[in-house]
Amino acid sequence: MVLCFVFANKITTSGNVILIQYAAPIYVALFGYSFLGEKATKIGLLLQ
């Protein structure tokens, strides 16, 4: 994860990298719903 963060920091601005990093739980929830058929609960989203 740290290597991905450093690489992204090299190719774009710090603000974009932080935004992408904080949006990761949304991507995980969408991926789980669309490909794995998992339903996201409010508790599950808060714990991510």
Side-chain angles (χ1 to χ4, degrees), residues 2-46:
V2 173
L3 291 176
C4 290
F5 183 81
V6 170
F7 179 71
N9 236 348
K10 285 187 178 280
I11 62 172
T12 189
T13 64
S14 297
N16 288 338
V17 174
I18 292 169
L19 181 67
I20 292 169
Q21 185 178 14
Y22 281 127
I26 296 169
Y27 301 140
V28 169
L30 291 174
F31 176 79
Y33 180 75
S34 61
F35 291 108
L36 302 175
E38 295 178 346
K39 302 273 182 176
T41 62
K42 290 180 183 178
I43 293 291
L45 291 175
L46 288 174

